[in-house]
Structures are given as C-alpha cells and as structure tokens.
Amino acid sequence: MLAAVVALMACIGSAQAEDGYALWMRYVPLDAPLAAAYRTQLAEVVAPDHTPTQRAAREELERGLAGLLGSAPPMRVAAATGPAVVLGTPQSSPLIAPFGEQIASLGGEGYLLERTRLAGHDVVLVAARTDIGVLYGTFHLLRLLQAGAALDTLAVRESPQLGRRVLNHWDDLDGHVERGYAGRSLWEWQTLPEWRDPRYTDYARANASVGINGTVLNNVNASAQSLAPEYLDKAAALADLFRPYGIRVYLSARFSAPIELGGLETADPLDPAVRRWWRDKAAEIYSRIPDFGGLLVKANSEGQPGPQDYGRSHAEGANLLADALAPHGGVVMWRAFVYAHDVPADRATQAYTEFVGLDGAFRPNVILQVKNGPIDFQPREPFHPLFGAMPRTPLMMEVQITKEYLGFATHLVYLGPLYEEVLHADAHARGKRSTVAQTLTGMAGVANIGNDRTWSGSHFDQANWYAFGRLAWNPGQSAADIAAEWAAMTFSPDREVVQPIVGMMMGSREAAVNYMTPLGLHHLMARGHHHGPGPWVDGGPRADWTSVYYHRADRDGIGFDRTARGSNAVAQYAPHVADRYGDLQQVPESLLLWFHHLPWDHRMASGQTLWDELVRRYAQGVRGVEDMQSTWAGLRGRVDAQRYAQVEAFLRIQRREAQWWRDASVAYFQSVSGRPLPEGEATPPHPLAWYQAQQSPSAPGDGR
Ligand code: BDP
C-alpha cells in the first residue's frame, strides 16, 4: 500500500508531459520552501523598459519567476519598496548609477550579480555597462534560481573571454540542413519576411541565455542566391528579431556570387569590377541590416569556388571581402578547411601548409576560422596545428555541435569533454605553455538546430548547444560543471537526478570513441552520409575520402605514421608538442594510431598487444552504452514520462548501433590482421561481407 502511494506520488511529481521545446529554460515550480525563501528575497523586480533589450530582460525575469515561484512579483521601473531584484545600467537606472565604478571594467557584455543593500532594502543587483550585459546577467540569475542556489552571498563578476561566439547553420534555402539531424531548417524562407514565427524569438532567447552573440544563417556550401535582395530582406527580418538579444546576423558567401548574381565574367579578387560589386553588395546589406556581422566563406575547398581559381591566394580572396565590409564594421570569417584532391600530401597537413605562410597578409577584419582538428570533426582528433602558429592573424575555432561523425542525434554523446579537451590542450605557442583557447578570438559551432520539437533532434543533444555557448563564453570552465548546470535546469535540480545524468554525459564521448574509432583511429564511417561503420571504404573519387587511407591496416600493423618517418605532420606542431606526439613513449594512447603506424604485437600500457587492446576497446565502448542504459533506467519516475521514453528508446538505438560498429570493425580488422580474437571476445555474428553489404541510402543530413 505504502509503496503504491509512494509510486503514485512519484508519478504525480513528474506527471507533466514535456516535449523538450522549453530547452533549459523550463522554469518549472521549485520546491515550496525554496520558492517561499526566494519570494521573500525577491519580492519585486525593478527594471527599466525603454529599449527592446531592456524589455527582453524584464520579460525573461518575469516569465522565469512566475514559473519558478508560482507567480511573478510586482514589476516596477524605478524605485524599490522592499527586497528586490534590481536590473540596469548606470544610464538606464538611477539605482545602478552608484555602482558605475564597480562595473567599469566589465566590458560591453559583462555583468555583475551582487547581493547588497540599497535604500534600506536587501537587493539582488544585476548590473552592467550595457543592456545586453544586463540581459546576460538576468539569464545567469535564472540559472542560479533554477538550480536552487543560495542568494545570501551572491557575488558574481562575469565577462566573456572570447568576443565572437557564433553559430554556423548549414541550412540550404530549400530547408534541407546539411549534416542536420533535427528536422528541417528553422528558417522558413518562403514565409519570411512577412511571417515572423515566434520560434525565432525563442531561438534568440536560448542563444542569449548562453551568451551566443552571432549566427550565420546559411550553409557554407553557399548558394549565391542568399545574397540576392529578396533573401537579404528575409535575413533582415531575422536580424530585427535577434537584435534585442545581442545576436548579429552573418551570411555565408559564395565566392563566385559576382558572376552568378552580378552577371560579371569573373570573380577574380583583383578585378576592379569584382571589387566594386562586393563594395556595392556590402552597402546593400548594411542598408537593410545596419549591424550585420559579416561574411563566412568556404573557398577552394571540396569544389567550392575561390581565389585560387584565378591564381590568387586565400589572403587576396579574403581581403577583397574584408575591404568591402570594413567601412561598415563587418568581418570576414575565412575558413581554413581547405584541402585539394590533386595534392598527394597527408590531408592532415594541407590547411597548415596553405595558411601558415599567410600570417600577417590578412586585413585586420579577417578572422581565420579553423576546425578543432586537422581532419574533420572526428570523435577524437589532436588540436589543429594552426592554433598558436599564426600570431598575427585572429583565429576562431570551429567545432561541430551537430554530430555528423558521432552517431547523429540518436547517440547520446555529450560534446563538452571534446571541446574542453581541445580548448585546454597546450599549443605551446611562442615556446611556452599556452592553451589553444588562449590563441583564439572566437568560436564557431556548426549548429544542431532544426525544426524538430526538441530543437536538436534529441533531449541530450540540447546539452551540446548549451555547452558550446557556455565554453565559448569562458573556455576555462569544466565540461562536468556545465553538464551539471544543464541537467539541473533541463531535468531536475535534485542531486539524485543530476549526478547520474552527469555521469552518463561525462562517459558518453569516450564510449563513442571506443565503439567507433579507438586509440586514435579516425574517419572510418560509411561513405558520404557517415552513418555507421565503413572501415573497409576504399576507392571512389579521392583517397582521402576513404577509410583505408586513414587506418592503413595490413597484415603487419595499423595506424597513420605522421612522424618524421611518415608524413611528418607532427612537425607542424610547436617543437614541445611535436616531441610528445612523435615519441612512442610520450604520445597519449588516445592518439596513438593518429600519429604512429605500429605492429599488431606492439605492447600497450595495459600489457596487452595492440591487437588485443583494439578489440577490447570496441567492446568497452558497447559496455559504456549499456552503462548509460542502466543509469537511465534508474531514473524512471524521476524524469517526466515523455522525455524518459524518448531517451530510453534512443539509447536502445545507440546500443544496437554501437554493437554494429563493434562487430563490423572487429570483423574487418580481423580479416586484415588474420589474428584470433582475445579470450572472451565474441566472434561477430555475421561474416564481414554482411556488414559491408549494409546500406543506409536515406540517412539524414547528407551533403549534396
Ligand atoms: C564536412 C562535411 C561537409 C561540409 C564540410 C565543411 O561532411 O558536409 O561541407 O565538412 O566543413 O564535415 O565544409
């Protein structure tokens, strides 16, 4: 009887169906005693409401407090009559004016949260130099309240470490999202600019809540059309909606747009007519979007047009656009993801070779956008050797939030640890310890957002959007802390919910590495769409789109020799780093086969041979997923039924696909090595040919 009552109460506690739309801004009622305490401390809100950003902050706080506390406190504009939250800048609020000095060094986006006394009342201050700082501070306060933090000793000073924190949408104008696993594009180009879907504002709220301050609306494989006047009007409508939330709109530009849109015969960056065309285009953009952020360009990469089509360098190409944008304050984000099929050099070396000599040749408003690793968003890569190697060029690090190579939206893989690993890596720039983060001026994240009700294709993929924003704001944060705050807001602040979820999240990336590409292996996914295993992929248009190019396994051994005996990619790193990666004694096992080709009998730290260890790692990856399944099962009844069920089902998909990865990979590598499986490791249930015959012709998100 008692058990039944307890079970019933648990059900009621989590009965409300949740579809994930509210993201980490659910603002569900807090426990009664906590809500009561907050109601006393935050008896009213005093906040200006003259500008759109001021209203955004005010409304967010009102919405948040109404949800968390059961009802919103009185909202005032000028004076506090009791314990209050007081929002503002020295200009917008006379109450904040006395704190001018304290906030002087916070910069344009920073804020101060402080518990203090004002006109005889205890207040919580959210003070900043700008309205947008206040909005960021408001979201911070709401984070604390959602987690049930004590306010008595509140004293927070925050400013972003990186200036540009930008999402890259790989969205096509027809609604398809390249490498998108969360439905179709959020942008309804067809109905813009007239119809301003309220979802656009929720998108802006979510981004502002984690400090993202820019968004590139369209695919880097860009259609010139996105710069045509009618599309600029549509982009301008989005910019209007995003502006109050501190988000600037950027666009991807097709380098040959002067030909396709302008009817010119060339897109040569040194041609006067081309230069004029871009100048006019920039003026046209800024007449519609006065705070337009700038252009993102993928040039001379994977078939995209670029300056090299005219014998010009990447710097000449980037500077052409930079000169057009400079009078308006815009930037060019020029991508370093460049490699050529007719260059036989190790693909991992090509971007560095192409760009390092151009350091100092770019205009000041060019930012080089470099992927986190030298290949392509693999489950694990070493950091890109360009970080730290171009001291005179501002660099942005580009990461994928969408999980093209990490099981799409159905695999639970928290990317916080991946981002953290790269950001905290020692690039050893200028001969001394310095993290990759210290070499950056911004971060770009390839968005995992679509029109799926969950936004990101799954509940846990929301955490990757969240973690991207939080780490771009402050790369020094720990992925585990970020997971904990996300889990508290997304599921429940209850420790017994947060802790197991954080455990799942923190182990998830390593599990995926193990069941897909352990020990530094990379790029072994099926061809094209990258869904599922394809370690046997060979032939086709270019060697560096095959798996055999990367793993180089044969009867004797496996791995890509990138030491001086091989491609010598290792020499692109600072000597201190190169020594470490190039030396078998020092290289971390997690990157072993990235840098070294080794015999199957090579002894690993565990004492096992490389072959045995490899096979065991695959099984370990599958076990990691099983562990997540049992942790999640333990949360039944503590998480609302709707989200519980979807996560549970997705974990089953992940479990099945992890096993598929393990079996297919073991079958394949065994066919190459000819070795017996270590004791206790099951023979794959099908012959290799069966795995090779599996096809996923309709896998989502394919490029085209
Ligand atoms: C790869 C994707 C491809 C992108 C390319 C890029 O497979 O769809 O166009 O990166 O970043 O990861 O340009």
Side-chain angles (χ1 to χ4, degrees):
M1 177 73 177
L2 184 64
V5 172
V6 170
L8 183 68
M9 282 169 59
C11 283
I12 294 168
S14 60
Q16 202 191 348
E18 297 207 40
D19 61 11
Y21 182 86
L23 294 161
W24 47 87
M25 303 173 296
R26 290 159 56 246
Y27 307 137
V28 293
L30 293 168
D31 280 350
L34 189 59
Y38 282 154
R39 262 197 300 273
T40 321
Q41 291 170 307
L42 313 172
E44 54 191 48
V45 172
V46 186
D49 67 352
H50 303 302
T51 68
T53 302
Q54 289 169 7
R55 283 193 288 277
R58 215 180 132 90
E59 280 160 22
E60 194 68 32
L61 194 57
E62 186 172 17
R63 174 205 298 248
L65 294 177
L68 292 164
L69 311 184
S71 62
M75 305 292 293
R76 306 189 195 288
V77 202
T81 63
V85 196
V86 178
L87 265 50
T89 67
Q91 291 74 39
S92 72
S93 163
L95 295 177
I96 302 295
F99 298 88
E101 216 163 281
Q102 241 172 294
I103 58 176
S105 61
L106 283 175
E109 294 178 306
Y111 55 84
L112 171 86
L113 300 184
E114 197 170 281
R115 176 101 165 143
T116 184
R117 279 187 76 77
L118 208 66
H121 305 297
D122 284 330
V123 300
V124 170
L125 276 191
V126 181
R129 288 179 49 208
T130 61
D131 285 347
I132 192 67
V134 175
L135 179 65
Y136 288 153
T138 303
F139 277 114
H140 191 135
L141 178 62
L142 285 165
R143 261 199 311 271
L144 296 176
L145 299 177
Q146 284 175 276
L151 299 179
D152 313 329
T153 53
L154 184 65
V156 173
R157 283 179 77 85
E158 280 275 343
S159 345
Q161 309 284 300
L162 302 180
R164 284 185 205 262
R165 309 176 296 278
V166 180
L167 288 180
N168 288 187
H169 288 269
W170 285 0
D171 294 17
D172 296 326
L173 298 181
D174 65 0
H176 171 262
V177 181
E178 183 157 340
R179 312 308 177 181
Y181 314 104
R184 311 227 347 129
S185 174
L186 210 52
W187 322 132
E188 297 280 352
W189 295 111
Q190 202 59 36
T191 51
L192 280 165
E194 285 83 1
W195 170 233
R196 299 178 172 209
D197 191 328
R199 192 162 188 173
Y200 300 144
T201 300
D202 285 335
Y203 164 87
R205 288 175 51 232
N207 282 322
S209 78
V210 291
I212 290 169
N213 66 2
T215 181
V216 184
L217 300 177
N218 61 320
N219 195 349
V220 287
N221 295 321
S223 155
Q225 216 46 39
S226 53
L227 296 178
E230 62 271 29
Y231 279 97
L232 295 179
D233 287 339
K234 295 168 191 283
L238 292 175
D240 289 344
L241 293 168
F242 300 163
R243 189 169 297 111
Y245 293 88
I247 298 160
R248 284 177 167 212
V249 158
Y250 299 70
L251 290 170
S252 293
R254 186 165 164 89
F255 197 77
S256 55
I259 302 174
E260 286 131 354
L261 281 186
L264 303 188
E265 261 162 27
T266 176
D268 181 347
L270 301 193
D271 184 289
V274 171
R275 300 185 71 78
R276 198 172 325 112
W277 189 86
W278 281 111
R279 268 201 311 273
D280 293 347
K281 183 52 76 181
E284 188 187 346
I285 298 174
Y286 279 91
S287 70
R288 290 170 167 82
I289 312 175
D291 56 352
F292 181 68
L295 298 170
L296 171 65
V297 188
K298 171 175 177 177
N300 292 121
S301 170
E302 299 184 333
Q304 295 299 316
Q308 293 180 334
D309 302 346
Y310 307 95
R312 315 295 183 198
S313 72
H314 280 278
E316 286 167 314
N319 291 345
L320 158 76
L321 301 177
D323 289 342
L325 293 165
H328 311 278
V331 298
V332 177
M333 297 175 296
W334 193 264
R335 295 178 87 226
F337 180 67
V338 168
Y339 62 100
H341 68 280
D342 48 358
V343 176
D346 173 4
R347 177 170 148 193
T349 63
Q350 292 189 27
Y352 178 97
T353 306
E354 185 78 52
F355 283 95
V356 78
L358 296 176
D359 192 24
F362 293 101
R363 299 282 190 266
N365 61 330
V366 175
I367 305 173
L368 198 62
Q369 184 165 308
V370 183
K371 286 190 182 182
N372 61 280
I375 296 290
D376 193 10
F377 302 132
Q378 294 303 297
R380 172 168 277 120
E381 297 192 35
F383 68 86
H384 201 297
L386 279 173
F387 297 123
M390 298 190 67
R392 290 187 290 162
T393 308
L395 299 185
M396 263 169 93
M397 180 163 99
E398 176 180 320
V399 296
Q400 244 184 9
I401 308 172
T402 192
K403 306 205 309 296
E404 172 183 356
Y405 296 97
L406 281 140
F408 301 179
T410 35
H411 290 210
L412 195 168
V413 181
Y414 171 51
L415 298 175
L418 188 161
Y419 304 157
E420 178 184 52
E421 183 175 293
V422 188
L423 288 165
H424 296 187
D426 179 12
H428 226 80
R430 299 200 185 90
K432 56 176 194 299
R433 199 190 137 70
S434 47
T435 62
V436 166
Q438 286 167 330
T439 71
L440 303 178
T441 61
M443 264 179 90
V446 180
N448 66 348
I449 300 162
N451 67 357
D452 185 79
R453 191 66 191 160
T454 64
W455 300 84
S456 301
S458 81
H459 298 292
F460 273 88
D461 272 295
Q462 298 176 350
N464 293 328
W465 177 7
Y466 184 86
F468 166 76
R470 300 286 288 130
L471 279 167
W473 178 276
N474 177 4
Q477 291 179 103
S478 95
D481 290 350
I482 293 171
E485 62 182 40
W486 174 81
M489 293 187 288
T490 304
F491 289 108
S492 158
D494 181 350
R495 265 173 66 87
E496 296 188 12
V497 174
V498 172
Q499 278 190 342
I501 289 182
V502 171
M504 288 169 70
M505 291 168 76
M506 290 307 290
S508 62
R509 187 273 189 123
E510 212 55 47
V513 167
N514 280 331
Y515 63 71
M516 290 181 178
T517 50
L519 301 174
L521 290 174
H522 47 288
H523 213 298
L524 307 183
M525 295 73 193
R527 196 195 295 274
H529 50 65
H530 303 147
H531 176 61
W536 47 78
V537 168
D538 197 1
R542 45 190 302 162
D544 54 9
W545 283 356
T546 69
S547 302
V548 296
Y549 173 89
Y550 293 102
H551 64 63
R552 309 201 165 201
D554 59 18
R555 191 115 198 126
D556 303 320
I558 184 170
F560 199 130
D561 186 353
R562 293 191 164 110
T563 68
R565 285 179 307 279
S567 79
N568 206 21
V570 81
Q572 295 185 333
Y573 291 94
H576 177 85
V577 180
D579 288 350
R580 183 158 170 259
Y581 287 160
D583 177 2
L584 253 187
Q585 304 310 314
Q586 294 183 62
V587 65
E589 277 192 352
S590 59
L591 290 173
L592 188 66
L593 302 177
W594 185 284
F595 288 111
H596 299 269
H597 183 88
L598 295 168
W600 293 113
D601 281 328
H602 173 81
R603 274 296 141 198
M604 302 293 288
S606 63
Q608 305 185 80
T609 64
L610 170 57
W611 167 250
D612 286 2
E613 175 102 17
L614 180 71
V615 176
R616 293 210 191 278
R617 290 286 179 120
Y618 277 107
Q620 209 175 310
V622 179
R623 273 201 305 280
V625 181
E626 290 166 351
D627 290 347
M628 291 200 282
Q629 286 183 295
S630 52
T631 307
W632 190 249
L635 290 166
R636 183 190 288 277
R638 288 180 178 274
V639 168
D640 57 281
Q642 187 170 347
R643 289 187 299 168
Y644 178 85
Q646 195 193 67
V647 173
E648 197 233 15
F650 280 23
L651 284 170
R652 268 186 279 134
I653 298 173
Q654 185 177 11
R655 166 74 180 73
R656 187 178 70 235
E657 293 186 351
Q659 189 70 51
W660 172 31
W661 264 98
R662 181 267 171 198
D663 292 337
S665 306
V666 169
Y668 170 73
F669 286 124
Q670 190 176 31
S671 79
V672 177
S673 77
R675 293 181 173 236
L677 296 185
E679 217 183 299
E681 294 292 336
T683 304
H686 301 286
L688 174 60
W690 186 90
Y691 298 106
Q692 289 172 318
Q694 301 305 302
Q695 302 286 331
S696 321
S698 308
D702 210 354
R704 52 187 189 188

